């Protein structure tokens, strides 16, 4: 059809722009964006996987566009308190057909706009119906459209296990969102979901993937594994509790990633807090998450179960300050696992140091040239026996926290309204609720 | 002494042989300000000398010719000198030096190579194809470094059934996959007749881009850090309608005008 107002020709198979808008806007708050972990080959047709992942564009909110993030439908029978697509919310509804989604994916992919598809859905009609639609779409994409690019499928809680297995044969990654870090919060805020409805399919997939690997079957079974997402600040759980759950999801359930999203109040509801969770808390959780996965930390070392991570210091720095007896370490001798524990030295710097010191004794001058960031590290290392830091822990703490994130601090006034305290209750901010699912 | 060479591998290797004994050698593939009394020489590629030099250097470090290929693709003015100092260091130490990350010559070379390979990585995402009437794809790019050839294997592996042209408009050259052969060729200008659907897909892409943005979380600095403005030129989704600091003229040029100020329905609870 020809759109005279815009002067643009639309193919009949193309999805309508208005529909695309609704289905994208309902999907955009899902945090997961990565397209890594799958090395799917091109077997005739279009597309392949890029194990490192690839970002194709960046939006003005600083997030990357890697996958085409879309809902199959935003017409939901569930009524999760925090979600914009929930049944009791008055928003425009739309549903796409499997062919519309496939065509859109292939044509965007061909033009190198996207790295693949991130397909989710509201619980349309019933969990099984919604899941069937997702499975049908991804199957069609793989078999009829011969698409071998990345596909991330969102699992629908309470769908039949057979559908879950079928989906995993065609998708690169699947995710069930844990949503809330404890069972009681889940019961309160997402009454139709239960801990079992989320954890059982995760364990099922983990089991089936292990069998698939052990039997060395042909084809693929979730090559990029599973991920999940939690809302931070909508319920009273502490960082310690959240990170313990995270650690068990990584080490027991074998997840690849856990995403966190700060809670932002969307509707007044007596069971939801009225204040926005600070973005810095989310940031600290991600830092701790990285320490668990790439730096050899255990959650016990980072934070006690009933406490939050400190906001004024990053978790590694906080750990180091509690363990000053282990420092300073000599960069020319310390093993990798110790170097990784030095605040300010990341995985890349540690590797550089390891490589360079095989040929020369490193000095601070060298480290500077190698672009190892010394702002924090200098208090915890010696280079060639020299130490340039401050050795009293309280002085170090003062130096490292000073000037950080204190710009908003001021004396409270009797007449302050919440909005003047840097907690703007803007409509759009409210809308992004939890950046949670749907 | 200043050694000018044309930027090719053979010319570099020939110049390298000449300059090797010269403590104050300066190799350049571009322009360079001559100071009074400074001697200079223009080095022509000598294939026989270049092969000899290549063989000797490869004996010392098997991977060094790959490094040279990357270094010479750099768009930086001093790439000749960076490569010269790196290879001179290999020749002096008589072994691979890429792990000696505290040495100035190695730091300069590895950072220069990283900038080239990082741009390749970025362009795996930032290339934007448009579909021509024949179904072939065409993408103009204007990268900092000469990377079009390095992009070829990636896209060839990804869309083997579709012929495509990646046109580096800055260097007037193109990386081509014609369905059978992959090659590079000089290309000054290209006239493309777009397919009937092309504009429709571009419009849908702009709509998607505008919809997936969360306007309340403006982080332009971060966005521009990840996707520098100089790369926007050939991206149909740019200039982003939602970006407030562009001139008004450009903002309205995009049909993906952001409607996110419209009142939102609220929940009933």
């Amino acid at each position: 059809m020809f759109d005279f107002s815009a002067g643009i020709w639309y193919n009949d198979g193309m999805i309508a722009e208005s529909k695309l808008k609704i289905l994208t806007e309902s999907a955009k708050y899902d945090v997961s964006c990565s397209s890594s972990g799958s090395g799917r080959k091109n077997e005739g047709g279009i597309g392949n996987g890029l194990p490192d992942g690839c970002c194709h564009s960046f939006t003005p909110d600083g997030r990357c566009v890697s996958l085409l993030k879309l809902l199959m439908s935003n017409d939901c029978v569930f009524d999760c308190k925090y979600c914009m697509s929930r049944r009791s919310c008055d928003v425009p509804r739309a549903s796409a057909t499997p062919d519309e989604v496939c065509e859109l994916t292939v044509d965007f992919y061909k033009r190198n706009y996207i790295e693949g598809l991130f397909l989710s859905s509201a619980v349309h009609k019933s969990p099984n119906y919604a899941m069937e639609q997702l499975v049908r779409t991804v199957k069609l994409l793989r078999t009829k459209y011969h698409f071998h690019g990345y596909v991330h499928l969102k699992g629908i809680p309470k769908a039949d296990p057979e559908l879950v297995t079928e989906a995993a044969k065609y998708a690169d990654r699947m995710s069930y969102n844990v949503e809330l870090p404890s069972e009681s919060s889940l019961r309160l805020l997402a009454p139709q979901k239960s801990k079992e409805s989320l954890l059982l399919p995760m364990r099922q997939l983990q089991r089936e993937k292990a069998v698939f690997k052990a039997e060395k079957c042909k084809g693929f079974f979730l090559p990029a594994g599973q991920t999940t997402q939690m809302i931070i600040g909508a319920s009273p759980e502490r960082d310690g509790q959240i990170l313990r759950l995270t650690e068990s999801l990584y080490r027991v359930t074998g997840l690849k990633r856990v995403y966190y999203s700060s809670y932002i109040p969307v509707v007044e509801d007596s069971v939801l807090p009225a204040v926005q969770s600070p973005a810095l808390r989310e940031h600290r959780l991600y830092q701790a998450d990285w320490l668990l996965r790439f730096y050899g930390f255990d959650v016990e070392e980072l934070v006690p179960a009933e406490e939050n991570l400190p906001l004024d210091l990053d978790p590694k720095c906080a750990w180091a300050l509690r363990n000053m007896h282990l420092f300073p370490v000599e960069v020319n001798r310390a093993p990798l696992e110790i170097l990784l524990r030095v605040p300010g030295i990341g995985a890349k710097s540690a590797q550089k140091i390891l490589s360079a010191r095989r040929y020369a004794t490193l000095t601070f001058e060298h480290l500077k040239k190698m672009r190892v960031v010394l702002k924090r590290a200098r208090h915890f290392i010696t280079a060639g026996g020299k130490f340039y830091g401050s050795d009293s822990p309280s002085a170090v703490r003062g130096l490292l926290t000073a000037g950080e994130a204190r710009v908003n601090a001021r004396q409270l006034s009797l007449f302050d309204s919440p909005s003047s305290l840097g907690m703007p209750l803007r409509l759009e901010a409210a809308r992004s609720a939890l950046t949670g699912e749907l | 002494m200043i050694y000018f060479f044309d930027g090719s591998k053979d010319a570099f290797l020939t110049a390298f042989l000449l300059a090797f004994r010269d403590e104050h050698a300066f190799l350049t593939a571009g322009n360079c300000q001559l100071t009074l009394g400074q001697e200079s020489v223009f080095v022509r590629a000598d294939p026989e000398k270049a092969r000899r030099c290549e063989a000797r250097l490869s004996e010392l470090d098997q991977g060094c010719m790959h490094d040279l290929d990357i270094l010479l693709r750099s768009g930086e003015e001093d790439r000749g000198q960076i490569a010269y100092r790196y290879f001179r260091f290999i020749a002096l130490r008589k072994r691979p030096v890429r792990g000696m990350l505290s040495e100035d010559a190695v730091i300069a070379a590895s950072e220069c190579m990283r900038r080239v390979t990082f741009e390749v990585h970025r362009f795996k995402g930032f290339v934007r194809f448009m579909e021509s009437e024949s179904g072939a794809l065409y993408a103009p790019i204007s990268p900092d470094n000469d990377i079009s050839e390095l992009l070829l294997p990636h896209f060839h592996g990804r869309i083997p059934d579709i012929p495509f042209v990646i046109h580096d408009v800055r260097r007037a050259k193109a990386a081509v996959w014609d369905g059978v052969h992959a090659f590079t060729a000089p290309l000054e200008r290209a006239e493309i007749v777009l397919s009937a659907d092309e504009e429709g897909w571009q419009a849908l892409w702009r709509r998607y881009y505008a919809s997936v943005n969360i306007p309340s979380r403006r982080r332009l600095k971060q966005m521009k850090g990840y996707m520098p403005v100089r790369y926007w030129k050939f991206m149909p989704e740019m200039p982003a309608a939602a970006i407030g600091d562009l001139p008004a003229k450009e903002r309205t040029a995009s049909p993906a005008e952001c409607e996110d100020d419209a009142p939102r329905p609220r929940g009933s609870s």
Side-chain angles (χ1 to χ4, degrees), chain A residues 56 58 69 88 115 435, chain B residues 128 158 208-209 213 217 268:
Chain A
H56 286 255
F58 290 86
K69 223 179 258 185
S88 58
E115 192 61 18
T435 72
Chain B
R128 292 286 179 270
R158 176 159 280 201
Y208 175 77
Y209 180 86
N213 178 42
R217 299 189 200 161
S268 56

Side-chain angles (χ1 to χ4, degrees), chain A residues 26 46 122 174 194 200 202-203 282 349 366 372 395:
Chain A
S26 332
I46 184 170
M174 280 184 72
S194 65
L200 284 181
M202 278 192 207
R203 296 208 186 105
E282 180 188 301
S349 293
H366 284 135
V372 174

Side-chain angles (χ1 to χ4, degrees), chain A residues 38 58 115 122 157 166 276 284 293 299 357 365 403 408 431:
Chain A
S38 170
F58 290 86
E115 192 61 18
E166 187 71 0
Q276 186 168 331
R284 294 285 181 243
R293 286 190 296 148
V299 69
R357 75 184 187 186
E365 196 57 30
N408 291 327
R431 197 179 136 70

Side-chain angles (χ1 to χ4, degrees), chain B residues 165-181:
Chain B
V165 176
I166 298 172
H167 186 188
D168 184 339
V169 293
R170 184 190 291 193
R171 292 168 189 81
K173 62 192 281 188
V176 183
W177 166 248
D178 64 4
V180 188
H181 309 285

